[in-house]
Amino acid sequence: MFPLLFTLLGCAPAPKADPGVVTVLQEQQATWIRNFNPLLTTGGTRWPTRSGIYEPLLIFNGATGEWTPWLAEAWSWSDDGMALTFDLRDDVLWSDGETFAADDVVATFHLLRDNSSLDLGGLWGFVESVEAPDADTVVVSFQRRYSPGLADIAHQPIVPEHIWSQVEDPSTWANPDPVATGPFTEINVFRSQVFELGKNPNYWQEGLPHVDALRFPAVGSNEQAAWSIVQGEVDWAGTFIPAIERVYVGRDPEHHKYWFPQTGGMVFLYPNTTKPPLDNADVRKALSMALDRELIVNVAMYGYTQPANPTGMSDSYADWRDPAAEAIGAEWMTYNPEGAAAALDAAGWTLRDDGVRYNSAGEPLELSLSVVSGWSDWVRAAQVASRNLEAVGVRCNVKSRDFSAWFDSLGRGDFDLSIAWSEEGSTPYGLYKGLLSAKAVEPVGEPAIRNWHRYPDPNADALLAAFEDATEEALQHQAINALQMRFVTEAPALPLFPNPSWGEYNTTRFVGWPSADNPYARLSPNLTPDPLLVMTRIMPRENRVATQ
Amino acid sequence: MTRYLLRRAGFYALAAWVALTLNFLVPRLMPGDPASVMFARFQGELDPEAIDALRETFGLTDAPLWQQYFSYLAHVAQGDFGTSVVYFPAPVSEVIGSGLMWTVFLAGIAVVLAFVIGSTLGALSAWWRGGFLDSLAPPILSFIGAFPYFWLAMAAAWLFGFELGWFPVRHAYGLDIEPGFHLAFFGSVLKHAFLPALTMVVVALGGWLLSMRNVMLGTLGEDFVNYAQARGLSKRRILVHYAARNALLPNVAGFGMALGFVLSGALLTEIVFSYPGQGYLLIQAVRGQDYPLMQGIFLTITFAVLGANWLVDLLTALLDPRTR
């Protein structure tokens, strides 16, 4: 039977990819469901609907730290900081040939206002009105001065009014055939295993994109994703690959490249500051000194990242770091078990013969460390951290729990120590809001959406308000400087390491990728809206070598 | 006969109701909710405020459980399983529809092949008991069957797919082939199904072989087989029509069960080989706390198991007069 089967299979034609088609691996799904609604969260919506099919007004370039004009040519704050004006490009067409105008932008924001389930950024919590004085200008008026709102507004994907005004319920519409302004708008193929996005025939950036189409094979698991990348079937991916130098680069050092900048979110060890002795900053600092972060990143992250910066800011906020704060933070962020022991002694926790510290009441220093079971990088980090803590006399049990249970107890403050992520954004505002804001502190037992460690800093909310107030960068820097100083003096949470932004590319068929040598944008397709910058720059390699 | 069938029908109705109720309750006993899981998947990229918007999107209600239960029963009766959370806003029936056919195809083929090959080998082993086949096949196949399936499938995918490149290691057919009624598509489907089906067959063979062989050994000692030999019938006729045919009865019952589990059994295979079926959807649903999708999948599995057993009951009633 087998020989027969082999002969039969032999006549299936070998698949040949079109030379201008870029194969991209971003989402991990075994089946594609047709959904191109940019107003829903990613996950349900196919990538790159939010930044590729549709486009925002401006793009914050995380690699350069600057705003790139996109659908808007220019933008400015009013003198009182209560209004934001966008000058739109006048040469933009929708993919169906209609003209893009200010009414489309206004209609998009009104969709969010009228369907609160679509308002993921909570825009209408600070926006008063969105108006179009003429066809190329949009004015967003604020309820109060709120400078972080710029990113939420500028990054909103804009949808065409002439299509969406006909949609009955935009929050459940799958938008199967998108009409958009982006570089790739045509659905050439859509099957459960693969789909292909073709060029926008009316794209406003003349001559762009250089490639004909993007193609997305459905791949369901990390192993499968890694295999297809390693085998050279994929041109652009954002997947974690272990031992990438050997596994991927080693297979074809000339063409197989990766760039893992440490610009992802910072991973923290959160101490529950409502529980003594974790309410004591000296104890928190002592625990931090006990942690061997070098070992943690090598064991947990395969050395793909580095120990955290003392300010808690990842490399995407490198310009915001204050050297004075870094110096103070370094005192409790550097691995120093002797220092940790001394600080715990001073705090009244003395070491007994059993290797554990006890207070004067005879209670042992015992902490549990919660982590999500199955998130293997965090589990490994937790194991190293717990061994580090044991070494200075803290009894530490790693408690790995199912994701939902873990997240529930994190929000309700039912933990001693827990590893978790922190907020990301175009400025460190959200990060410090989550770390310090007293307003965000909920009573223990009530679910908190941020500040899970429940540290109410008395000064933070005023400083955060100062940041919200500041439309000038210098003033924003002042506020962030003060906030990071609060952070390094109080150590409300212990930064562990920044997550790398995973990104791999293959130059066999296409060139022009961002890299450490040419950092015109961030490479990782997992970020939004950075991929727009990449997909409009990449181009087919000339004198392409036949690789099939 | 009619009374027997009615009694069985009543039993299946009761089982279906219990399954429906458990199906409703179990996911709701899990801590957390889909909105927070969805939110958490973004690990800080999403504004914390978005969690309320997500809750509203998915229509999560705080209605009392009994109210939810009755509206659930009413909807299921109309074949409406609701809207998937993970694949929002696609309806659950559409999501399941995208994977169901492939699971039935892949696992169905694997179960049938394993049954046919296993039973044949078992019958032959018993016929030549102590011979070459009998001393090799049962221990080797049992040995392979004892491997953790996940490991075996990964090893096969890595060796034959990744290193040697003989077979594709993912998807149900080539990405460049338009599905349709033509040879290229069928060839591609077979080629893609080969490795997943092979691993499923190989691990299941041992079980079928052993049970067939053991029953067959008993049957071969029966008087009617001796009588057939005494009559001078051909060996082939005795093997197929006298011994194997009788020995097959217990295996048929097992086959019914196995067919029923087809829908869930392919879970690991589909994950390893990125095969677009039910199993992978189930994992996605559990990860995302997607109650509607989980319920839809569990129900398809439950009804498939019940349906297959009902068929086996009918078959047994026809084959074996004693059950009536």
Side-chain angles (χ1 to χ4, degrees), chain A residues 4-346:
Chain A
L4 176 85
L5 206 60
F6 276 106
T7 3
L8 194 90
L9 300 176
C11 46
K16 276 216 167 49
D18 195 298
V21 179
V22 184
T23 305
V24 188
L25 221 56
Q26 198 273 335
E27 298 178 85
Q28 273 183 21
Q29 300 273 6
T31 346
W32 294 130
I33 301 284
R34 191 164 184 156
N35 177 355
F36 296 102
N37 182 338
L39 305 180
L40 298 172
T41 42
T42 39
T45 304
R46 297 286 65 77
W47 189 91
T49 306
R50 285 175 70 85
S51 52
I53 298 178
Y54 292 89
E55 293 178 317
L57 295 172
L58 310 170
I59 294 177
F60 181 76
N61 187 337
T64 59
E66 277 165 17
W67 286 97
T68 308
W70 211 256
L71 289 179
E73 282 175 313
W75 56 278
S76 59
W77 286 98
S78 65
D79 292 336
D80 61 358
M82 292 287 281
L84 200 51
T85 305
F86 293 95
D87 297 326
L88 305 183
R89 301 188 63 91
D90 53 12
D91 55 352
V92 179
L93 293 180
W94 293 102
S95 53
D96 63 356
E98 301 267 333
T99 316
F100 163 83
D103 288 343
D104 293 310
V105 181
V106 173
T108 302
F109 286 105
H110 284 176
L111 276 172
L112 304 192
R113 184 191 60 191
D114 302 338
N115 299 275
S116 57
S117 70
L118 299 178
D119 190 3
L120 294 167
L123 282 175
W124 288 92
F126 56 85
V127 170
E128 177 68 39
S129 68
V130 181
E131 276 151 17
D134 62 65
D136 297 326
T137 314
V138 173
V139 178
V140 182
S141 309
F142 282 53
Q143 298 167 13
R144 59 192 160 90
R145 289 166 69 97
Y146 186 69
S147 66
L150 169 65
D152 295 311
I153 294 163
H155 280 169
Q156 175 62 43
I158 304 300
V159 299
E161 187 191 15
H162 65 278
I163 303 283
W164 289 73
S165 58
Q166 319 288 324
V167 174
E168 206 171 300
D169 184 358
S171 61
T172 55
W173 191 43
N175 189 19
D177 295 291
V179 170
T181 59
F184 298 96
T185 55
E186 307 305 296
I187 316 292
N188 293 346
V189 175
F190 198 98
R191 293 198 288 266
S192 64
Q193 286 194 144
V194 66
F195 71 94
E196 195 178 290
L197 286 179
K199 269 197 233 194
N200 178 353
N202 300 314
Y203 195 47
W204 54 275
Q205 300 198 60
E206 215 157 305
L208 294 183
H210 300 297
V211 299
D212 297 335
L214 305 178
R215 169 191 168 93
F216 305 89
V219 172
S221 70
N222 219 28
E223 290 80 13
Q224 283 279 358
W227 282 355
S228 62
I229 296 167
V230 168
Q231 281 176 320
E233 292 169 11
V234 174
D235 300 302
W236 185 19
T239 307
F240 162 79
I241 299 180
I244 191 160
E245 280 290 345
R246 177 171 59 82
V247 172
Y248 178 61
V249 178
R251 218 170 159 96
D252 184 354
E254 202 189 325
H255 300 116
H256 288 188
K257 315 268 180 171
Y258 71 100
W259 185 28
F260 292 168
Q262 284 135 38
T263 50
M266 182 67 75
V267 175
F268 281 82
L269 181 65
Y270 289 100
N272 187 341
T273 62
T274 62
K275 291 195 178 177
L278 297 174
D279 55 347
N280 180 347
D282 292 332
V283 172
R284 294 195 296 267
K285 288 178 184 170
L287 297 183
S288 174
M289 283 188 260
L291 299 177
D292 184 356
R293 289 178 175 78
E294 284 290 344
L295 189 64
I296 291 177
V297 298
N298 282 329
V299 171
M301 302 298 292
Y302 297 90
Y304 285 156
T305 180
Q306 279 170 358
N309 183 277
T311 59
M313 286 187 265
S314 75
D315 283 358
S316 51
Y317 309 129
D319 298 341
W320 295 85
R321 292 176 190 149
D322 174 11
E326 283 181 286
I328 297 176
E331 288 167 20
W332 55 270
M333 283 286 295
T334 317
Y335 179 48
N336 179 3
E338 295 81 19
L344 287 172
D345 283 336

Side-chain angles (χ1 to χ4, degrees), chain A residues 1-2 5-6 8-9 11-13 15-17 28-31 33 35 40-44 116-117 119-122 152 171-174 191-194 215 217-221 223-224 227-228 230-231 233 251 375 378 403-405 407-408 421-424 433 449-450 499 526, chain B residues 31-32 36-51 53-54 56-57 86-90 94-95 98 102 113 154 157-158 161-163 167 169-179 183-184 187-188 190-191 194 198 271-276 280-281 284 289:
Chain A
M1 184 189 113
F2 283 177
L5 206 60
F6 276 106
L8 194 90
L9 300 176
C11 46
K16 276 216 167 49
Q28 273 183 21
Q29 300 273 6
T31 346
I33 301 284
N35 177 355
L40 298 172
T41 42
T42 39
S116 57
S117 70
D119 190 3
L120 294 167
D152 295 311
S171 61
T172 55
W173 191 43
R191 293 198 288 266
S192 64
Q193 286 194 144
V194 66
R215 169 191 168 93
V219 172
S221 70
E223 290 80 13
Q224 283 279 358
W227 282 355
S228 62
V230 168
Q231 281 176 320
E233 292 169 11
R251 218 170 159 96
W375 290 17
W378 288 11
F403 174 79
S404 317
F407 190 65
D408 194 58
W421 61 84
S422 57
E423 243 177 281
E424 290 174 64
K433 191 173 177 182
I449 53 171
R450 50 163 73 89
N499 272 324
N526 306 338
Chain B
S36 56
V37 172
M38 171 76 84
F39 166 71
R41 274 203 304 186
F42 294 94
Q43 300 207 7
E45 277 170 56
L46 208 62
D47 227 43
E49 274 77 15
I51 205 161
L54 290 174
E56 202 180 321
T57 311
V86 175
Y87 296 99
F88 191 84
E94 187 191 320
V95 177
S98 74
W102 290 111
L113 280 182
M154 283 294 269
W158 176 78
F162 183 74
E163 283 298 321
F167 294 100
V169 283
R170 66 187 77 89
H171 298 137
Y173 52 88
L175 294 184
D176 295 289
I177 292 168
E178 182 74 35
L183 203 65
S188 179
L190 284 182
K191 195 168 173 176
F194 186 82
L198 180 76
I271 292 170
V272 173
F273 294 96
S274 256
Y275 207 81
Y280 182 79
L281 288 179
Q284 287 283 94
Q289 295 217 337

